[in-house]
């Protein structure tokens, strides 16, 4: 019988499927259903720094700075306490690892909040530092350095494994991952999914494109996981975005991931998709003679490609030479 257990960020998972931070993980009832469906771990719905700041800012204008500060602090405290309560309840009711999540872009009071998460019983903390750099006077490297500073400060405050979920807007994620490992990160998730803006030309309003990922999104994650796991092999990786079936799960593991974070396919197909993906993984392992994930994890990453690395090859000449009119 194929063994599907894996280790990610120092956590023991019964299988490599993690439900990513989303509306799927914002209540104890939903988390229980995901555990019953076979999930290996869950990342709780993120606390968003910009959302809290926006809500607390909307409370301003009550006549005095003291009143504004009090009401703003109340909104922040209420939002954060809801997250802490969810961690506590999930740890009481569920056996699978519970990963807390912060989506932030500044190095502020998140250090204190991380302490509360640890005290509430979270098994790990995922830091999601997702922000577009658009300043005309931007100093090269400052965005990457912000990742490292936030990690350093939180590592000094807590003993939780810290998982860094990166955006795809990095010039060289490998260099950043190497520095994150050197500063104590336990794992890296590649990649977060940006909000996809669009314009409605009929009513001249801003809208968004499909918020769900698609299987075609997986290629870029496979590329960078395969390169990163070869060049910085001592840190754990998870693929996020584009894993919609067992094949995507298998490809991610072959590229060097220890786990995958899934979301869209659960929204689209229901929690039963978890068991379906695990069955597909098990069947493939049995057909290929693998008893454990460790036997094939990273078997097709960039260290195994030989002199011509397909993950770093960017030319299209070979592709188009095989497609004649």
């Amino acid at each position: 019988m194929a063994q599907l257990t894996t280790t990610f960020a120092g956590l023991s998972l019964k299988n490599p499927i993690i439900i990513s931070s989303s509306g799927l993980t914002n209540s104890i009832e939903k988390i229980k259903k995901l555990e019953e469906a076979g999930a290996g771990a869950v990342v709780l719905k993120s606390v968003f720094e910009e959302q809290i700041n926006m809500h607390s800012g909307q409370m301003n204008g009550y006549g005095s700075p003291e009143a504004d500060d009090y009401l703003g602090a109340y909104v922040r405290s209420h939002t954060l306490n809801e997250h802490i309560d969810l961690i506590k309840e999930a740890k009481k009711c569920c056996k699978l690892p519970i990963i807390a999540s912060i989506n932030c872009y500044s190095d502020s009071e998140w250090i204190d909040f991380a302490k509360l998460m640890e005290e509430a019983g979270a098994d790990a903390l995922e830091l999601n530092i997702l922000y577009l750099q658009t300043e005309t006077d931007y100093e090269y490297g400052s965005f990457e350095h912000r990742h490292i500073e936030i990690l350093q400060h939180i590592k000094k405050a807590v003993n939780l494994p810290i998982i860094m979920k990166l955006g795809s807007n990095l010039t060289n994620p490998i260099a950043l991952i190497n520095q994150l490992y050197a500063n104590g990160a336990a794992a890296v998730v590649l990649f977060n999914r940006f909000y996809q803006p669009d314009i409605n030309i009929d009513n001249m309003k801003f809208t968004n494109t499909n918020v769900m990922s698609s299987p075609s999104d997986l290629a870029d994650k496979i590329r960078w996981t395969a390169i990163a796991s070869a060049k910085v092999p001592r840190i754990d990786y998870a693929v996020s975005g584009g894993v919609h079936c067992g094949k995507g799960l298998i490809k991610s593991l072959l590229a060097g991931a220890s786990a995958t974070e899934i979301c869209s396919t659960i929204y689209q197909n229901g929690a039963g998709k978890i068991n379906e993906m695990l069955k597909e993984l098990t069947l493939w392992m049995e057909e290929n003679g693998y008893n454990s994930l460790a036997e094939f994890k990273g078997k097709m990453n960039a260290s195994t490609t030989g002199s011509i690395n397909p993950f770093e090859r960017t030319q299209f000449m070979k592709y188009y030479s095989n497609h004649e009119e």
Side-chain angles (χ1 to χ4, degrees):
M1 176 67 70
Q3 298 296 315
L4 304 185
T5 55
T6 188
T7 300
F8 177 69
L11 306 177
S12 296
L13 279 58
K14 64 180 180 181
N15 64 64
I17 294 181
I18 301 171
I19 310 302
S20 62
S21 172
S22 63
L24 295 169
T25 61
N26 66 359
S27 74
I28 191 62
E29 292 77 15
K30 294 177 182 178
I31 296 170
K32 284 181 179 178
K33 289 181 180 179
L34 292 168
E35 181 176 37
E36 292 169 359
V42 298
V43 183
L44 299 184
K45 173 69 173 176
S46 292
V47 174
F48 283 79
E49 178 178 358
E50 60 183 346
Q51 184 178 30
I52 293 176
N53 288 340
M54 179 182 68
H55 287 170
S56 60
Q58 289 174 347
M59 300 299 290
N60 291 341
Y62 283 82
S64 72
E66 292 81 4
D68 291 344
D69 289 344
Y70 175 81
L71 291 169
Y74 172 79
V75 171
R76 297 172 72 85
S77 176
H78 179 70
T79 303
L80 301 181
N81 285 339
E82 285 184 340
H83 195 80
I84 293 298
D85 289 342
L86 181 59
I87 295 173
K88 291 179 179 178
E89 192 172 1
K91 288 302 297 179
K92 287 180 181 178
C93 301
C94 304
K95 295 182 179 179
L96 79 176
I98 302 297
I99 302 171
S101 177
I102 298 174
N103 190 306
C104 60
Y105 55 87
S106 67
D107 190 4
S108 58
E109 70 276 5
W110 298 111
I111 296 173
D112 293 332
F113 188 41
K115 293 178 183 178
L116 296 175
M117 288 178 163
E118 183 175 37
E119 292 170 2
D123 295 297
L125 171 60
E126 183 177 274
L127 289 180
N128 192 335
I129 307 170
L130 185 62
Y131 197 64
L132 286 175
Q133 303 304 304
T134 60
E135 301 87 353
T136 55
D137 58 349
Y138 173 73
E139 183 178 346
Y140 296 109
S142 60
F143 181 52
E144 289 80 359
H145 191 62
R146 187 183 307 168
H147 288 70
I148 298 167
E149 286 184 330
I150 294 175
L151 172 64
Q152 288 175 334
H153 293 162
I154 291 183
K155 282 293 294 181
K156 290 179 181 178
V158 302
N159 294 315
L160 287 175
I162 305 300
I163 302 163
M164 304 295 291
K165 190 168 188 177
L166 305 182
S168 58
N169 58 325
L170 296 164
T171 303
N172 184 353
I174 306 303
L176 176 57
I177 292 169
N178 190 47
Q179 286 300 308
L180 293 174
Y181 168 73
N183 283 278
V188 168
V189 182
L190 304 174
F191 291 106
N192 201 331
R193 181 174 175 80
F194 281 99
Y195 173 81
Q196 304 293 312
D198 201 357
I199 296 175
N200 186 318
I201 62 173
D202 296 320
N203 59 18
M204 300 295 285
K205 292 184 177 180
F206 294 109
T207 182
N208 60 276
T209 60
N210 189 3
V211 297
M212 302 293 176
S213 70
S214 70
S216 63
D217 295 329
L218 182 59
D220 196 46
K221 284 75 172 180
I222 292 294
R223 176 198 299 274
W224 285 109
T225 300
I227 296 172
S229 66
K231 295 193 174 184
V232 191
R234 290 172 291 179
I235 193 171
D236 290 336
Y237 295 90
V239 166
S240 178
V243 179
H244 281 241
C245 63
K247 288 182 179 179
L249 173 58
I250 295 164
K251 291 177 183 180
S252 300
L253 297 169
L254 284 168
S258 298
T260 60
E261 290 192 0
I262 67 171
C263 174
S264 295
T265 191
I266 304 300
Y267 274 116
Q268 294 166 339
N269 303 293
K273 190 66 177 180
I274 298 171
N275 188 51
E276 182 181 322
M277 292 171 66
L278 293 175
K279 284 184 177 179
E280 191 171 354
L281 171 60
T282 300
L283 178 60
W284 180 86
M285 290 174 63
E286 292 174 348
E287 289 177 344
N288 289 275
Y290 296 119
N291 296 312
S292 69
L293 303 188
E295 293 178 15
F296 67 92
K297 188 184 80 171
K299 193 171 184 178
M300 296 191 70
N301 73 3
S303 67
T304 68
T305 59
S307 58
I308 299 179
N309 186 341
F311 298 112
E312 296 184 21
R313 186 177 176 85
T314 57
Q315 293 86 355
F316 285 85
M317 292 179 62
K318 180 179 179 181
Y319 174 80
Y320 282 112
S321 67
N322 293 328
H323 290 73
E324 300 179 358
E325 294 185 0

